[in-house]
Amino acid sequence: MTQTDSKSQLDATKDAVTKQGEVVKKLKLEKASKEQIQPEVDKLVALKEQLKQLSLKEDGADKFDRATLESVLLKRFFYAPSFEIYGGIAGLYDYGPPGCALQNNILTLWRQHFVLEEDMLEVECTNLTPEAVLKTSGHVERFADYMVKDVKSGDIFRADHLVKQVLSSRLEYDTKLAAGTAPKLAKGQAKVEPLSADVRKDYEMVLETLDNYVGDELTKLIRRLDIRAPTTGNEVTDPVMFNLMFETQIGPTGQFKGYLRPETAQGHFLNFKRLYEFNTGQVPFASASVGKSFRNEISPRQGLLRVREFTMAEIEHYVDPTNKKHARFGEVKDLVVPLYSATAQEAAAGPTKMTIGEAVESGVINNQTLGYFVARIYLFLTRIGIDPERLRMRQHMSNEMAHYACDCWDAEIKSSYGWIECVGCADRSAYDLTAHTNKTGEKLVVRETLPEPIIEDKVVLEVNKKNFGPAFKKDAKAVQGYLDSLKTGDSWNEAELLKLKSEIDANGKVSVTGTDGKQYELTGSLVTIEKKTIKSHIREYIPSVIEPSFGIGRILYQLLEHAYYRRESDDEARHVLRFPAAVAPIKALVLPISHSDEFTPYIKEIVTSLRRCNIANKVDDSASSIGKRYSRNDELGTPFAVTVDFQTVQDQTVTLRERDSMLQIRGKIADIVDIVKNLVEEKTTWAEVQASNPAFSEQAL
Amino acid sequence: MTQTDSKSQLDATKDAVTKQGEVVKKLKLEKASKEQIQPEVDKLVALKEQLKQLSLKEDGADKFDRATLESVLLKRFFYAPSFEIYGGIAGLYDYGPPGCALQNNILTLWRQHFVLEEDMLEVECTNLTPEAVLKTSGHVERFADYMVKDVKSGDIFRADHLVKQVLSSRLEYDTKLAAGTAPKLAKGQAKVEPLSADVRKDYEMVLETLDNYVGDELTKLIRRLDIRAPTTGNEVTDPVMFNLMFETQIGPTGQFKGYLRPETAQGHFLNFKRLYEFNTGQVPFASASVGKSFRNEISPRQGLLRVREFTMAEIEHYVDPTNKKHARFGEVKDLVVPLYSATAQEAAAGPTKMTIGEAVESGVINNQTLGYFVARIYLFLTRIGIDPERLRMRQHMSNEMAHYACDCWDAEIKSSYGWIECVGCADRSAYDLTAHTNKTGEKLVVRETLPEPIIEDKVVLEVNKKNFGPAFKKDAKAVQGYLDSLKTGDSWNEAELLKLKSEIDANGKVSVTGTDGKQYELTGSLVTIEKKTIKSHIREYIPSVIEPSFGIGRILYQLLEHAYYRRESDDEARHVLRFPAAVAPIKALVLPISHSDEFTPYIKEIVTSLRRCNIANKVDDSASSIGKRYSRNDELGTPFAVTVDFQTVQDQTVTLRERDSMLQIRGKIADIVDIVKNLVEEKTTWAEVQASNPAFSEQAL
């Protein structure tokens, strides 16, 4: 089968899946009986499996040569395993000079694109975080994965990864068995029987809904499907929760249990009040932060994609929950973005390209602010060199949303590892600010002066201070704490108050639990509960938070795959990284055509001029041929090369070579430096430069 | 006494100390008897005490108003205690928007000044570090302070800080007692007797040599001087070592004990081989890194100066130990720098201003490379706005050098906390690279092709592979490990080899300890030890490392003190931070003279133009008076303000105000934006701008 045949078959199957998905959806909407729906669901599952097999085949056809890219990256020291000479530690990587420069350039553009452009308030908060903060945020309890151990070898697996790996490989083997392409059994290996259609369907269903198995359900699943450690064939233990945060002690006596932060977000929230004041009380506004986060992954893998320490760039945009319009929405509303909505995923359809304006208007994206950031994220990623054809914005399904999120879109980038989440854009609602307000009593709120006062009838509670203090003495704080828990911001929980009031009215008293856990009695002489007409000049509310959160290491790796290509030349394959000039680690290579002292002053002059413009450059005056030296710098993704040759000594002109076209122009040193500057600052393009300068080709590459 | 009197007395005393120091030094050089030397030493100690008292007095005279500065910094959210709403944790601070921008700008200039200027190889290594690495570097064993506990309250103190605090306050009280200025005793407080001259001298000697007291000596000192917890008066426990590294577990089973790095340096060293290859084998070269380090201080204090988590910028410059010349030394040799040598400190003299060239030539600074970096550090600090009059380079005394250093100069910056070490510039020699080479067997060496081969007679050991493997089998590695330990690089320890040989010659065998701790026997059939004529074409050596290491938080705080001044105005004192434009958090304030919609398009135009030039700017269109708005931004250190007024609507001109002179010019928007750009990029100065533009003063401030 040719590649084209395979592609058209793939497209036909995609269409069939979409149509069948719509059939199922329609039946569900019509509330058809289970007997009616089930056969159509079976058909859908079968079609999806077919689609998967075809996709795998297609992926194989133009399989990305990851091993070669990785060897280039290691050779040029983009990154390398940390502590390599000590045997390394999984999930920890160091960045070498080009990796570092690439990351710095991505972050510089990020700051320009987001922080500077939108007057965001940048903060830098500590990595060390006391336990109390992460208890409130829910991380101490919930930031965990299930792990299992090989009962004999003690090898450790992340439970969901293990189930996925075992079932996927059973299905794959079964497919090969049916096609007669299964590998021969090794001596002593037990024969594997073909799977029944029911079993295949069962596995596929489990794989689709793996996120739903937690606690006992997960244990039962592992036993029912006899999931074992792959290499040893041993049974595994029952899954246990493993918290992914690194724990440590702060201070000399272990007086503070602490963790390394798993995200930078909490630091923004804790500083909300200062940020809000810094912004002179105006909302919406955003805070931004670039820093490390730490996750003690059970089994790190996939290179830079799942690591234990990584750079994040996070934005927290604070907005009125009743008005999520964005002032600059108009600037992005016509941008066309591939959106993969939850509905489309349920129907097993693909992403749809539409304008952000349409998406928000039709409710695909919940609100303008979320839509605005989805667009800005898309623009940022394509600006730094991510291939738009391998980029999509995918909405979270309701069962995969983080505990705090009320809607979430991921920027997913495709590489040889498949579609990988690289940016999350979540509407965290008021979850975190509310939790910290309730825990600390520090109001993390917006106070808005109303143009006209609002007059409302409200049930309120008033403490009769004269009696309250003497009645409770040192316990007054605990009782007051209980009363505060009946409030959100300035608003009382009216239902609770009315319950208290009716008990007091009936029995003269009511028993309540103070924040110290003890019981106290409230009477009518201690508190007054009544309906009052309240005139408010101030509206107090906890803002919603829209959070674009960037995994910089992941973006960087995907960019490396997108930038990489091979150039077949006369002698050997050459590797090239096609970075946009703005993100390239080194902008200009400076080299003499051959080794001769007479070139030295010109090299110096060029380097000094480039430095004066803060253009990262590198001299290569090694003995290698000029072709080898160009090629070495193609591997670093250096977009431009300035070469000094014998003509330079005559007329002070040098050549400028561009990496991808390999074409050259010639000009005076000062002019060439100017051109490089304008190219790097994206004030001109290579095509424009070529148009206004004759090509130069006398000198052999 | 007037301030001038006090100053001249101070100078006279300084002279006396210097002269007396020379007397003592001369006697020591002449190897005079103890009886001859002691009285002169006593005189010197007395003079030094007198000098100290006078200095204290002078410091008091122009006492810096730290409380006011700190309140401004907190109000404008330069930084604030982390987790404040949870009660905070000592030694952890968050940076708000201006603090963040200030730090980013300092780091950008640092990268330009060092990394870009010298083609340094930047690396980014992980914070998490496995124990093995930090054992080799010596940190597990030695990176510790002594701590003591109040036996009753359990309060914890760093032992040396406590001794210093107690003795200093006893001396201070005694001085006041003598002068009749001691505060009255509180009721029930025991009367304090005056100290005898001997006791005073004892205390002073202890304070001068506190670093020398370790282990039992420190315990004895605490008991002898009856050092107690200051607030409770309770005894303290014996001092115990407390390691300052934060410990954690890497991986789900605690299989790897790890620490948060206490410095970034080790990451550079572990990557030496890749860096050396990246630099195509050329030496000298340098690596550079910016990142966090962590130290679990026993009692953090002094704001940003002693914290538990901080940003460091470190350079490791690798150089041939036999040739520490620097190619660019000529560019700095005429720079005059205040150098405070170890000799000057011993003689209790002050720093001397001299050129770096003289300093290296006369041996004050050990070598050109160290001298080059001392100069570059000085230039960097003054460039970002550190006052040269409050900056000195101080050489470490031999007893305060870190365990790895063979010479070290600190850049010390003076603030209200005194002279504070902000940059260290150490010659770490080959300590770390040697230690990691020996531990891992991975050679972290330079291999230099010699112009002519060197022919030498050397004692060498050769393993007779035919017999060695079969004789030791699985233990062969442990025995080989022992043999490797007799080598440094390619050179055998000849004395050790000859010892082995003589035993084998005498007894036919020799017993040695393998790296597994077991005993093994070597015989003449297993190893051959003999003198050989070796012809080397390659010189292999472990390079020396010169390490400039910057504490960014400390520099930032000292800069804040140097930048701060009060401007007395008609109504109230105004606070100003006089940052150079290049480091100022916000470069330009943009504001309408009053609230009116007709100004909005001009504000937008200015902001867009500034953004296009990547100039950080801020609009202040709040209702406050223009004076208040200028003043608010003086507190942020914003150097320029562009104001839109009624004339703008007529002729599209705006005013440009400079922060320190408070003078203004007027021009077209595009011209003013250009001027701001040139000012920020330091291509012109305000004086030059004023010279070519008439002052504008029609509009009231």
Side-chain angles (χ1 to χ4, degrees):
Chain A
M1 194 189 283
T2 67
Q3 202 178 315
T4 321
D5 284 345
S6 139
K7 276 220 163 143
S8 61
Q9 201 189 341
L10 187 71
D11 287 342
T13 314
K14 269 184 192 160
D15 285 348
V17 167
T18 310
K19 276 185 198 148
Q20 187 61 25
E22 277 159 10
V23 170
V24 171
K25 209 174 160 190
K26 191 159 166 278
L27 285 173
K28 282 185 179 169
L29 276 175
E30 291 165 353
K31 301 199 189 289
S33 71
K34 211 185 158 187
E35 289 68 35
Q36 282 177 296
I37 298 177
Q38 194 56 47
E40 300 301 333
V41 169
D42 291 350
K43 263 191 225 164
L44 179 60
V45 167
L47 276 168
K48 278 193 186 174
E49 171 62 20
Q50 199 181 330
L51 179 61
K52 200 168 167 190
Q53 296 304 327
L54 284 168
S55 303
L56 280 176
K57 224 181 255 170
E58 201 220 356
D59 279 0
D62 55 3
K63 199 160 175 60
F64 185 81
D65 185 1
R66 193 198 298 153
T68 304
L69 170 62
E70 281 181 348
S71 77
V72 171
L73 296 177
L74 203 59
K75 185 169 72 170
R76 295 294 163 222
F77 199 7
F78 275 82
Y79 60 92
S82 305
F83 321 110
E84 213 178 0
I85 65 173
Y86 279 82
I89 287 197
L92 294 176
Y93 290 90
D94 291 346
Y95 287 7
C100 245
L102 185 60
Q103 180 176 261
N104 285 344
N105 295 340
I106 291 172
L107 289 173
T108 300
L109 287 179
W110 188 87
R111 283 200 172 92
Q112 280 173 18
H113 187 86
F114 292 103
V115 181
L116 191 61
E117 185 66 30
E118 320 227 1
D119 284 330
M120 291 176 179
L121 308 183
E122 193 168 344
V123 290
E124 182 176 299
C125 307
T126 57
N127 294 289
L128 291 165
T129 308
E131 185 174 40
V133 172
L134 293 161
K135 269 191 173 161
T136 306
S137 68
H139 287 89
V140 170
E141 198 187 330
R142 274 170 298 199
F143 196 68
D145 283 334
Y146 285 98
M147 73 172 183
V148 294
K149 271 190 203 178
D150 181 317
V151 290
K152 289 188 187 151
S153 74
D155 286 348
I156 285 177
F157 304 92
R158 201 174 122 175
D160 58 340
H161 286 179
L162 180 67
V163 173
K164 193 172 170 188
Q165 186 188 347
V166 170
L167 295 191
S168 301
S169 82
R170 285 184 196 167
L171 284 169
E172 199 186 332
Y173 186 86
D174 190 60
T175 306
K176 284 183 182 159
L177 208 58
T181 59
K184 274 191 184 165
L185 291 176
K187 237 182 183 170
Q189 212 177 348
K191 206 187 152 201
V192 179
E193 298 297 334
L195 303 177
S196 72
D198 278 356
V199 170
R200 282 195 73 94
K201 208 194 312 169
D202 180 28
Y203 287 4
E204 281 153 8
M205 279 297 189
V206 168
L207 286 174
E208 290 251 327
T209 55
L210 205 47
D211 284 346
N212 297 342
Y213 290 88
V214 292
D216 281 353
E217 292 297 314
L218 186 58
T219 311
K220 280 185 206 154
L221 183 78
I222 287 172
R223 299 299 165 230
R224 178 169 76 77
L225 301 178
D226 192 28
I227 303 290
R228 290 161 172 268
T231 47
T232 64
N234 297 332
E235 281 195 22
V236 296
T237 58
D238 285 355
V240 292
M241 294 277 268
F242 173 70
N243 193 296
L244 299 181
M245 292 192 295
F246 289 95
E247 191 183 315
T248 193
Q249 301 292 337
I250 307 174
T253 50
Q255 68 261 60
F256 294 109
K257 187 169 170 179
Y259 297 96
L260 295 177
R261 64 179 176 197
E263 56 172 19
T264 74
Q266 299 306 320
H268 303 227
F269 301 143
L270 298 188
N271 284 301
F272 175 78
K273 216 174 147 189
R274 287 195 186 280
L275 290 167
Y276 173 62
E277 279 161 16
F278 187 85
N279 208 46
T280 55
Q282 288 166 37
V283 172
F285 74 97
S287 54
S289 191
V290 176
K292 297 282 179 192
S293 290
F294 301 81
R295 296 182 186 178
N296 199 1
E297 293 287 348
I298 293 170
S299 48
R301 50 189 197 165
Q302 301 183 323
L304 294 187
L305 297 184
R306 187 174 293 281
V307 292
R308 286 176 164 151
E309 176 175 335
F310 51 97
T311 298
M312 285 183 106
E314 288 193 306
I315 293 164
E316 311 294 335
H317 180 92
Y318 310 93
V319 60
D320 183 343
T322 65
N323 175 13
K324 294 186 179 174
K325 282 202 180 338
H326 194 287
R328 297 178 70 176
F329 188 71
E331 296 175 32
V332 300
K333 75 176 180 9
D334 295 329
L335 183 77
V336 176
V337 174
L339 296 177
Y340 196 18
S341 69
T343 323
Q345 293 164 64
E346 273 163 25
T352 310
K353 289 194 177 177
M354 63 171 92
T355 68
I356 290 291
E358 284 171 334
V360 171
E361 204 155 314
S362 63
V364 171
I365 296 178
N366 180 271
N367 60 72
Q368 275 197 0
T369 300
L370 203 55
Y372 178 76
F373 280 111
V374 164
R376 293 287 298 163
I377 291 166
Y378 181 88
L379 288 170
F380 171 71
L381 292 173
T382 50
R383 180 177 176 193
I384 63 167
I386 293 295
D387 175 6
E389 295 304 314
R390 286 180 272 178
L391 171 59
R392 69 183 184 194
M393 305 300 301
R394 190 181 72 80
Q395 192 173 29
H396 276 205
M397 315 278 282
S398 56
N399 67 351
E400 59 175 326
M401 213 102 74
H403 61 267
Y404 46 74
C406 76
D407 188 14
C408 185
W409 288 81
D410 286 344
E412 292 189 333
I413 303 175
K414 197 182 180 190
S415 70
S416 65
Y417 291 107
W419 285 100
I420 301 291
E421 174 205 343
C422 292
V423 186
C425 188
D427 187 335
R428 287 177 89 125
S429 69
Y431 176 87
D432 303 271
L433 293 176
T434 307
H436 289 301
T437 296
N438 291 341
K439 182 69 193 173
T440 64
E442 188 75 50
K443 283 187 176 181
L444 305 177
V445 297
V446 170
R447 292 171 64 84
E448 187 185 86
T449 307
L450 295 169
E452 309 234 334
I454 294 178
I455 296 161
E456 279 176 306
D457 281 349
K458 281 186 176 177
V459 180
V460 297
L461 177 149
E462 268 171 15
V463 164
N464 307 331
K465 283 188 188 151
K466 208 178 59 185
N467 304 332
F468 192 85
F472 295 117
K473 301 200 179 80
K474 66 176 176 40
D475 299 327
K477 215 176 153 188
V479 185
Q480 184 65 53
Y482 162 76
L483 295 177
D484 289 346
S485 76
L486 303 176
K487 256 181 167 177
T488 307
D490 270 350
S491 303
W492 291 96
N493 181 331
E494 301 204 351
E496 286 291 327
L497 288 195
L498 291 174
K499 258 205 308 207
L500 291 182
K501 183 173 162 55
S502 70
E503 271 213 58
I504 292 174
D505 288 349
N507 311 321
K509 62 183 183 184
V510 59
S511 175
V512 301
T513 311
T515 47
D516 55 0
K518 292 188 195 148
Q519 293 296 309
Y520 297 98
E521 282 189 353
L522 295 177
T523 66
S525 73
L526 295 169
V527 296
T528 309
I529 299 172
E530 58 187 353
K531 188 164 269 187
K532 273 198 168 178
T533 301
I534 308 265
K535 192 170 170 187
S536 328
H537 297 267
I538 299 279
R539 175 178 158 235
E540 191 180 277
Y541 66 89
I542 297 187
S544 273
V545 175
I546 311 271
E547 179 194 74
S549 166
F550 298 71
I552 299 298
R554 287 186 170 192
I555 293 171
L556 184 144
Y557 177 79
Q558 306 292 68
L559 175 60
L560 288 168
E561 278 207 9
H562 290 200
Y564 173 68
Y565 68 96
R566 286 169 73 117
R567 175 149 63 206
E568 305 302 330
S569 75
D570 300 342
D571 39 359
E572 50 177 338
R574 289 177 174 183
H575 310 288
V576 190
L577 290 169
R578 170 184 32 204
F579 299 124
V583 304
I586 299 163
K587 314 300 185 194
L589 169 69
V590 182
L591 69 176
I593 194 152
S594 59
H595 195 78
S596 163
D597 285 344
E598 61 182 328
F599 297 147
T600 312
Y602 301 102
I603 296 285
K604 268 202 177 154
E605 184 187 341
I606 298 164
V607 167
T608 308
S609 308
L610 289 170
R611 264 189 204 143
R612 209 174 296 135
C613 310
N614 290 323
I615 293 175
N617 62 82
K618 191 185 155 177
V619 174
D620 188 346
D621 53 6
S622 67
S624 313
S625 75
I626 187 144
K628 268 238 161 61
R629 284 181 286 161
Y630 281 151
S631 163
R632 194 146 65 198
N633 283 278
D634 288 346
E635 291 187 0
L636 287 167
T638 309
F640 309 111
V642 181
T643 307
V644 172
D645 56 23
F646 294 99
Q647 198 181 324
T648 312
V649 184
Q650 308 300 318
D651 64 4
Q652 289 78 51
T653 64
V654 291
T655 68
L656 175 65
R657 175 213 191 234
E658 193 268 343
R659 175 193 61 210
D660 299 305
S661 65
M662 295 189 289
L663 295 174
Q664 299 184 83
I665 61 162
R666 188 158 198 115
K668 293 275 184 194
I669 290 178
D671 295 336
I672 292 291
V673 168
D674 254 5
I675 291 173
V676 170
K677 184 169 187 291
N678 287 327
L679 284 164
V680 169
E681 291 176 357
E682 297 178 343
K683 286 179 182 149
T684 184
T685 64
W686 180 244
E688 285 167 8
V689 169
Q690 277 181 288
S692 52
N693 291 276
F696 174 78
S697 58
E698 273 167 57
Q699 158 200 311
L701 286 204
Chain B
M1 196 189 282
T2 67
Q3 202 178 317
T4 321
D5 284 345
S6 141
K7 274 218 164 144
S8 61
Q9 200 190 344
L10 186 72
D11 287 342
T13 314
K14 269 185 194 161
D15 286 347
V17 168
T18 309
K19 276 186 197 144
Q20 186 62 23
E22 276 158 12
V23 171
V24 171
K25 208 170 157 191
K26 190 159 169 277
L27 285 172
K28 280 187 181 169
L29 276 174
E30 290 165 354
K31 300 196 188 292
S33 72
K34 211 185 157 188
E35 288 70 34
Q36 282 178 297
I37 297 177
Q38 194 55 47
E40 299 300 333
V41 169
D42 291 349
K43 262 191 225 163
L44 179 59
V45 168
L47 276 168
K48 278 191 187 177
E49 171 60 21
Q50 199 180 329
L51 179 61
K52 201 167 165 189
Q53 296 304 326
L54 283 168
S55 303
L56 280 176
K57 225 180 259 173
E58 199 218 359
D59 280 0
D62 54 2
K63 198 159 177 63
F64 184 81
D65 184 2
R66 195 198 295 153
T68 304
L69 170 62
E70 280 179 351
S71 77
V72 171
L73 296 177
L74 204 59
K75 185 169 71 172
R76 295 292 165 223
F77 198 7
F78 275 82
Y79 61 91
S82 305
F83 320 112
E84 213 179 0
I85 64 173
Y86 280 83
I89 287 198
L92 294 177
Y93 290 89
D94 291 345
Y95 287 6
C100 245
L102 184 61
Q103 179 176 260
N104 285 343
N105 295 340
I106 291 173
L107 290 173
T108 299
L109 288 179
W110 188 86
R111 282 201 172 92
Q112 278 173 20
H113 187 86
F114 292 104
V115 181
L116 191 62
E117 184 66 29
E118 320 229 359
D119 284 330
M120 290 176 178
L121 307 184
E122 193 169 345
V123 290
E124 182 176 300
C125 306
T126 57
N127 295 289
L128 290 166
T129 309
E131 185 174 40
V133 171
L134 294 162
K135 269 191 173 162
T136 306
S137 68
H139 287 89
V140 171
E141 197 187 333
R142 274 169 296 197
F143 196 68
D145 283 335
Y146 285 98
M147 72 173 183
V148 294
K149 272 190 202 176
D150 181 315
V151 290
K152 289 188 188 151
S153 75
D155 286 348
I156 286 177
F157 304 92
R158 201 173 122 175
D160 57 341
H161 285 179
L162 180 67
V163 173
K164 194 172 168 188
Q165 186 188 346
V166 170
L167 296 191
S168 301
S169 83
R170 285 185 196 166
L171 284 168
E172 199 186 331
Y173 185 86
D174 190 62
T175 306
K176 285 182 182 159
L177 207 58
T181 58
K184 273 193 184 163
L185 291 176
K187 234 182 185 173
Q189 212 177 349
K191 203 187 154 203
V192 180
E193 298 296 334
L195 303 176
S196 72
D198 278 354
V199 169
R200 280 196 74 93
K201 206 195 312 171
D202 180 28
Y203 287 2
E204 281 152 8
M205 278 295 188
V206 168
L207 286 174
E208 290 251 325
T209 55
L210 205 48
D211 284 346
N212 297 343
Y213 290 87
V214 293
D216 281 354
E217 293 297 314
L218 186 59
T219 311
K220 281 187 205 153
L221 183 77
I222 287 172
R223 299 298 165 230
R224 179 170 75 78
L225 300 178
D226 192 28
I227 303 290
R228 289 161 173 267
T231 46
T232 64
N234 297 331
E235 282 196 20
V236 296
T237 59
D238 285 356
V240 291
M241 293 276 269
F242 173 70
N243 193 297
L244 299 180
M245 293 192 294
F246 288 96
E247 192 183 314
T248 192
Q249 301 290 338
I250 306 174
T253 50
Q255 68 263 58
F256 293 108
K257 187 169 169 179
Y259 298 95
L260 295 176
R261 64 181 177 195
E263 57 171 19
T264 74
Q266 299 306 320
H268 303 226
F269 301 142
L270 297 187
N271 284 301
F272 176 77
K273 216 175 148 188
R274 287 195 187 280
L275 290 166
Y276 173 61
E277 279 161 15
F278 186 86
N279 207 48
T280 56
Q282 288 167 37
V283 172
F285 74 97
S287 54
S289 191
V290 175
K292 296 282 179 193
S293 290
F294 300 81
R295 296 181 187 178
N296 199 1
E297 293 287 349
I298 293 171
S299 48
R301 48 189 199 168
Q302 300 182 324
L304 294 186
L305 298 184
R306 188 174 295 280
V307 293
R308 287 175 165 153
E309 176 175 336
F310 52 96
T311 298
M312 287 184 103
E314 288 193 306
I315 293 165
E316 310 295 335
H317 180 91
Y318 310 94
V319 61
D320 183 342
T322 66
N323 174 13
K324 294 186 179 173
K325 282 201 178 344
H326 194 287
R328 297 178 69 176
F329 187 72
E331 295 175 32
V332 300
K333 75 176 182 8
D334 295 327
L335 182 78
V336 176
V337 174
L339 296 176
Y340 197 19
S341 69
T343 324
Q345 293 165 64
E346 272 164 26
T352 310
K353 289 195 178 178
M354 64 171 93
T355 68
I356 289 292
E358 283 171 334
V360 171
E361 205 156 313
S362 63
V364 171
I365 296 179
N366 180 271
N367 59 71
Q368 276 196 1
T369 300
L370 203 55
Y372 179 76
F373 281 110
V374 165
R376 294 287 298 164
I377 291 166
Y378 181 87
L379 288 171
F380 171 71
L381 292 173
T382 49
R383 180 178 175 192
I384 64 167
I386 293 296
D387 175 8
E389 295 304 314
R390 285 180 272 177
L391 171 60
R392 70 183 183 194
M393 305 300 301
R394 190 181 71 82
Q395 191 172 31
H396 276 205
M397 314 279 282
S398 56
N399 67 352
E400 59 175 325
M401 212 103 73
H403 60 266
Y404 46 74
C406 75
D407 189 13
C408 187
W409 287 80
D410 286 345
E412 291 190 333
I413 303 175
K414 196 181 180 191
S415 71
S416 65
Y417 290 106
W419 286 100
I420 301 290
E421 174 203 345
C422 293
V423 186
C425 189
D427 187 335
R428 286 176 89 123
S429 69
Y431 176 86
D432 304 88
L433 293 176
T434 306
H436 289 301
T437 297
N438 291 343
K439 183 69 194 174
T440 64
E442 189 75 50
K443 283 186 175 181
L444 305 177
V445 296
V446 170
R447 291 171 64 82
E448 185 184 270
T449 306
L450 295 168
E452 307 233 336
I454 295 179
I455 296 161
E456 280 176 306
D457 282 349
K458 280 186 175 175
V459 179
V460 298
L461 178 149
E462 268 171 17
V463 164
N464 307 331
K465 283 189 187 151
K466 209 178 60 186
N467 304 332
F468 192 85
F472 295 116
K473 302 202 179 77
K474 65 177 177 41
D475 299 327
K477 215 175 150 189
V479 186
Q480 185 65 54
Y482 162 75
L483 296 177
D484 290 345
S485 76
L486 303 176
K487 256 179 167 178
T488 308
D490 271 349
S491 303
W492 291 95
N493 180 329
E494 300 204 353
E496 285 292 327
L497 288 195
L498 292 175
K499 258 206 309 208
L500 290 182
K501 184 174 161 58
S502 71
E503 270 215 58
I504 293 175
D505 289 350
N507 311 321
K509 61 184 183 184
V510 58
S511 176
V512 300
T513 310
T515 46
D516 55 1
K518 292 188 195 149
Q519 294 296 308
Y520 297 97
E521 283 190 352
L522 295 177
T523 65
S525 73
L526 296 169
V527 295
T528 309
I529 298 173
E530 58 187 353
K531 189 164 268 190
K532 271 196 165 182
T533 301
I534 309 266
K535 193 171 170 184
S536 326
H537 297 268
I538 300 279
R539 177 180 156 233
E540 192 180 276
Y541 66 88
I542 297 187
S544 274
V545 175
I546 311 272
E547 179 193 75
S549 168
F550 298 71
I552 299 298
R554 287 187 170 191
I555 293 172
L556 185 144
Y557 177 78
Q558 306 291 67
L559 175 60
L560 288 169
E561 278 206 10
H562 290 200
Y564 173 70
Y565 69 96
R566 286 169 74 116
R567 176 150 61 207
E568 304 302 331
S569 76
D570 300 344
D571 39 359
E572 49 177 340
R574 290 177 173 184
H575 310 287
V576 190
L577 290 169
R578 168 185 33 204
F579 299 123
V583 305
I586 299 164
K587 314 301 183 195
L589 169 69
V590 182
L591 69 176
I593 193 151
S594 59
H595 194 78
S596 163
D597 284 345
E598 62 182 327
F599 297 145
T600 311
Y602 302 102
I603 297 287
K604 268 202 178 154
E605 183 186 341
I606 298 164
V607 168
T608 309
S609 308
L610 289 170
R611 265 189 203 144
R612 209 174 295 134
C613 309
N614 291 321
I615 293 174
N617 62 82
K618 192 184 155 178
V619 174
D620 189 346
D621 53 6
S622 68
S624 314
S625 75
I626 189 143
K628 268 239 160 59
R629 285 181 285 160
Y630 282 151
S631 163
R632 192 145 67 196
N633 283 278
D634 287 346
E635 291 188 0
L636 287 167
T638 308
F640 308 110
V642 182
T643 307
V644 172
D645 55 23
F646 295 99
Q647 197 182 324
T648 312
V649 184
Q650 308 300 320
D651 64 4
Q652 288 79 53
T653 63
V654 290
T655 67
L656 176 64
R657 176 216 191 230
E658 194 268 344
R659 175 193 61 211
D660 299 305
S661 64
M662 295 188 290
L663 295 174
Q664 300 183 83
I665 60 163
R666 186 157 197 115
K668 292 274 184 197
I669 290 180
D671 295 335
I672 292 291
V673 168
D674 253 5
I675 291 173
V676 171
K677 184 170 187 288
N678 287 328
L679 283 164
V680 169
E681 291 176 357
E682 296 177 345
K683 284 177 183 151
T684 184
T685 63
W686 179 244
E688 285 167 8
V689 169
Q690 278 181 286
S692 53
N693 291 276
F696 174 79
S697 58
E698 274 166 57
Q699 161 199 311
L701 285 204

